[in-house]
Amino acid sequence: MAREFGSVGVIGLGTMGSGIAEVLARSGIAVVAVEVDAEGIERGREHLNRSTQRAVDKEKIDAQGREALLGRITWTESLADLAGVDLVIEAVPENLELKSRIFAEVDEIVGAETIICSNTSSLSVTEIGVHTKRPGKVVGMHFFNPAPVQKLVEIVRTVVTEPAVIDEVVAFAEKLGKTPVVVGDRAGFIANALLFGYLNHAVTMYEQSYASREDLDAAMRYGCNYPMGPLQLLDLIGLDTAYEILESMYRQSRNRLHAPAPLLKQMITAGLCGRKTGRGFYSYDGPDSPNVVADAESAAAAIDTATARPIQSAGVVGTGTMATGIVEVLAKSGYPVVLRARSTEKAEAARAKVRKSLDKQVSKGKLEESAAEEIIGRITPAAEFSALSQVDIVIEAVAEELPIKQEVFAELDKVAKPGAILATTTSSLPVVECAAATSRPADVIGMHFFNPAPVMKLVEVVRTIATDSDVVATVHALSEKVRKHPVHCADRAGFITNALLFPYLNDAVNMLEAHYATADDIDTAMKVGCGLPMGPFELLDVVGLDVSLAIERTLYNEFREAGYSPAPLLEHLVTAGRLGRKTGNGFRAY
């Protein structure tokens, strides 16, 4: 049986330490809360008072329960008062020297069997533990902020941590109502190691003026269903905190992708640390406020649609899931659509797929039968490119192979009327290569819908160096008219979403291949700790390992960044035919 921890010490009463103390006291555990001075104790006490009052206001606990909770906490400025506790959790600022000194002092005070934990999010637990005479009883216990709300706790074992200690701390975390995952002592553990590389990449994109802050954030919210965009999240975490974590990760990993983007240091120096200072990547209506206010950058990012060309009708080339989804989106929005396939039979079959989708919506009461008839009546199947001669925009949605797309664009160039826009739905290929197959590169643009197109709100609008401004304005306006959220970026491999998403997925595969953590624990860490809708391995199996590998190869070939090189394990699974859900085997068996 796991031992009982009746009393626990918490050292450091900032936001995280106070939150941990609240979690412990809520579970009926006596807490000895230690801060360096009376001012620190008062800050911690005030934080706990506010947090527990919010819990009362939301009827999560009653007033009596709140008083009992607060009564379990003893406040002190002396580490000596930890002498009788069963376990200690250190939650002071991320400074190795400070943590090491505290561990050395606590080691002399507490009993021989007392376990000492660090809440560090990125520092080496091994380096902290060697300053004690009990490194086997030193473990990382990384809570996530806000601790009373977030379920994930990363339990970090060092090479000398006793297995029984890990078992006891895991059982303890479960008793607190948390979801523990056990990891080795490596920079960033699971969640931060995967999260902060992604966040750093987003800062670099913004720093290079590749996309606006709003579009970077919207791309990940609408394209991946993330709860927050990367720059919004950095403002919440604090840019100074993010910088310290990245610096710590880089010192340990020497991975260039962990080296903090220079812009972070510049913003911190200027006092722009995020929500806590009232300004970071966004401006807020005051320090610690979540309310974003307009600033000069908001106006600069706006797209002027006054120059947009009129769009009365559209064409779609292709018969796959993406093509039929786009046809449905356009026809639902009132546009007559020509659906061009390689044969009349294929075109009719694609139209029938749209009809099936509409019938499903009718059966669920989401659409009237009469409306479905009107929508399907706007779709004209065709087998010849000449049927597209009078439409105002043609959207190509054929196979993700450049020669095939170039062949389609060459044919469209012959038949499309002057001023017609030619768009490609490619997710990773260079749009300019499609434009080069035509005599009208100024009219060619990327219009990347996400799958399934009728459901997903995002459209990436990809401008090449040759695309006219009025073409960009037209596709932006059209995206809004079909009730999608357009984001803008330049013609670079992966655009926004895939360029941010797939290096993160690749990092997860490398982590698994190194036997650092299991696929289940990595997925759990990212879902529970970061609020993502799916873990990386769940997502890879859904996307398809072959599709993922192709995108990662495209990214690597464009940027030649060592960190983007596809993980060998992914290459091997694809070679073995384990492609994910579609084959019944991928990272998991189905």
Side-chain angles (χ1 to χ4, degrees):
M1 286 181 61
R3 66 197 265 202
E4 290 292 321
F5 297 100
S7 60
V8 175
V10 177
I11 306 171
L13 301 175
T15 304
M16 184 57 77
S18 300
I20 293 170
E22 181 180 339
V23 168
L24 296 167
R26 277 192 184 194
S27 299
I29 295 166
V31 180
V32 179
V34 188
E35 249 297 354
V36 68
D37 53 29
E39 185 181 344
I41 287 176
E42 188 53 39
R43 277 198 309 270
R45 196 191 294 270
E46 182 57 32
H47 183 93
L48 214 68
N49 285 337
R50 286 197 306 270
S51 178
T52 52
Q53 185 57 53
R54 281 197 299 270
V56 171
D57 294 342
K58 293 179 179 178
E59 299 182 347
K60 292 184 176 179
I61 57 173
D62 57 24
Q64 188 177 355
R66 176 176 183 256
E67 287 305 312
L69 184 159
L70 295 174
R72 295 188 190 104
I73 302 173
T74 302
W75 309 87
T76 179
E77 296 172 41
S78 174
L79 289 173
D81 290 333
L82 297 172
V85 302
D86 304 311
L87 181 141
V88 176
I89 302 173
E90 163 274 310
V92 302
E94 285 289 272
N95 179 288
L96 181 60
E97 186 179 344
L98 173 62
K99 289 178 184 286
S100 299
R101 178 170 56 79
I102 287 171
F103 266 66
E105 290 183 35
V106 170
D107 185 45
E108 297 294 332
I109 294 167
V110 298
E113 294 303 309
T114 300
I115 296 170
I116 312 177
C117 306
S118 175
N119 183 57
T120 180
S121 59
S122 59
L123 297 175
S124 167
V125 178
T126 305
E127 288 187 48
I128 296 169
V130 294
H131 294 274
T132 73
K133 299 184 184 72
R134 68 183 82 202
K137 289 184 168 52
V138 171
V139 66
M141 194 174 187
H142 177 215
F143 289 78
F144 283 68
N145 194 28
V149 176
Q150 293 278 33
K151 291 290 188 183
L152 183 68
V153 175
E154 290 177 319
I155 309 299
V156 186
R157 64 175 187 272
T158 74
V159 291
V160 294
T161 306
E162 296 166 13
V165 168
I166 294 296
D167 293 341
E168 288 170 348
V169 175
V170 166
F172 179 57
E174 290 171 342
K175 181 184 174 183
L176 297 176
K178 301 300 182 184
T179 303
V181 295
V182 178
V183 297
D185 187 18
R186 196 173 83 173
F189 314 135
I190 295 177
N192 282 353
L194 294 179
L195 176 66
F196 278 86
Y198 150 74
L199 296 178
N200 201 36
H201 189 183
V203 177
T204 300
M205 277 188 173
Y206 177 68
E207 188 174 31
Q208 295 170 347
S209 300
Y210 177 67
S212 71
R213 61 189 182 182
E214 289 86 357
D215 283 353
L216 283 165
D217 284 339
M220 300 312 288
R221 290 201 319 273
Y222 294 118
C224 298
N225 290 323
Y226 280 15
M228 297 183 81
L231 303 184
Q232 291 172 309
L233 182 54
L234 280 163
D235 272 0
L236 175 62
I237 292 168
L239 274 61
D240 50 346
T241 302
Y243 184 87
E244 289 172 5
I245 291 172
L246 284 164
E247 274 281 272
S248 175
M249 287 169 58
Y250 179 67
R251 279 197 303 272
Q252 294 181 60
S253 70
R254 292 300 170 191
N255 181 344
R256 202 193 65 78
L257 298 178
H258 293 157
L263 179 62
L264 280 176
K265 186 65 175 287
Q266 294 164 24
M267 293 178 73
I268 294 163
T269 304
L272 310 178
C273 293
R275 286 191 191 181
K276 59 187 171 188
T277 59
R279 197 169 158 210
F281 289 102
Y282 294 89
S283 298
Y284 301 86
D285 61 8
D288 293 316
S289 170
N291 302 317
V292 175
V293 295
D295 55 22
E297 197 170 337
S298 308
I303 298 293
D304 181 11
T305 57
T307 59
R309 301 177 188 179
I311 300 291
Q312 304 298 330
S313 59
V316 175
V317 181
T319 57
T321 304
M322 184 58 77
T324 55
I326 295 169
V327 168
E328 181 179 330
V329 167
L330 291 165
K332 264 187 174 178
S333 299
Y335 290 99
V337 187
V338 177
L339 195 172
R340 188 269 166 186
R342 283 175 291 181
S343 68
T344 304
E345 292 76 19
K346 286 183 180 294
E348 291 286 0
R351 185 173 181 264
K353 278 200 280 186
V354 178
R355 176 80 229 207
K356 185 177 179 182
S357 172
L358 297 173
D359 287 343
K360 193 178 293 184
Q361 293 166 55
V362 170
S363 67
K364 291 181 178 179
K366 295 180 178 180
L367 191 69
E368 294 292 332
E369 180 66 43
S370 57
E373 290 298 333
E374 286 181 26
I375 293 166
I376 207 71
R378 296 187 190 112
I379 304 169
T380 303
E384 302 297 330
F385 279 106
S386 57
L388 301 165
S389 62
Q390 295 306 308
V391 300
D392 300 309
I393 183 170
V394 182
I395 302 171
E396 165 274 310
V398 299
E400 192 73 347
E401 294 180 32
L402 188 56
I404 296 174
K405 290 183 183 289
Q406 288 176 317
E407 186 179 326
V408 169
F409 272 80
E411 292 296 329
L412 292 175
D413 189 42
K414 295 174 188 175
V415 302
K417 68 182 183 181
I421 293 171
L422 308 181
T424 174
T425 61
T426 181
S427 61
S428 58
L429 297 173
V431 178
V432 73
E433 296 276 9
C434 296
T438 74
S439 60
R440 53 175 104 189
D443 292 332
V444 177
I445 193 168
M447 192 176 183
H448 177 215
F449 287 79
F450 283 67
N451 195 31
V455 176
M456 299 296 285
K457 285 187 67 69
L458 187 69
V459 171
E460 289 180 320
V461 180
V462 187
R463 179 180 193 161
T464 76
I465 55 171
T467 307
D468 276 348
S469 295
D470 63 339
V471 172
V472 175
T474 305
V475 172
H476 182 98
L478 176 62
S479 299
E480 291 184 326
K481 284 177 182 173
V482 299
R483 295 180 287 281
K484 300 299 179 186
H485 187 106
V487 297
H488 294 259
C489 62
D491 184 19
R492 204 168 77 177
F495 311 138
I496 297 174
T497 308
N498 284 351
L500 286 173
L501 177 65
F502 280 88
Y504 146 73
L505 296 176
N506 198 46
D507 284 348
V509 180
N510 281 319
M511 188 178 278
L512 177 67
E513 189 167 17
H515 303 289
Y516 176 66
T518 66
D520 287 344
D521 277 354
I522 294 170
D523 278 353
T524 297
M526 300 315 291
K527 288 190 296 184
V528 179
C530 301
L532 303 188
M534 299 180 83
F537 299 106
E538 288 178 288
L539 183 55
L540 282 161
D541 277 356
V542 169
V543 171
L545 273 59
D546 51 341
V547 174
S548 302
L549 179 59
I551 292 171
E552 288 176 12
R553 283 174 174 166
T554 300
L555 290 170
Y556 177 67
N557 289 336
E558 174 134 336
F559 298 109
R560 304 302 167 114
E561 179 66 65
Y564 292 172
S565 177
L569 176 59
L570 183 62
E571 302 252 17
H572 295 162
L573 288 170
V574 172
T575 301
R578 295 178 61 126
L579 308 183
R581 287 193 188 179
K582 60 189 172 186
T583 60
N585 274 290
F587 285 99
R588 293 184 174 88
Y590 298 89

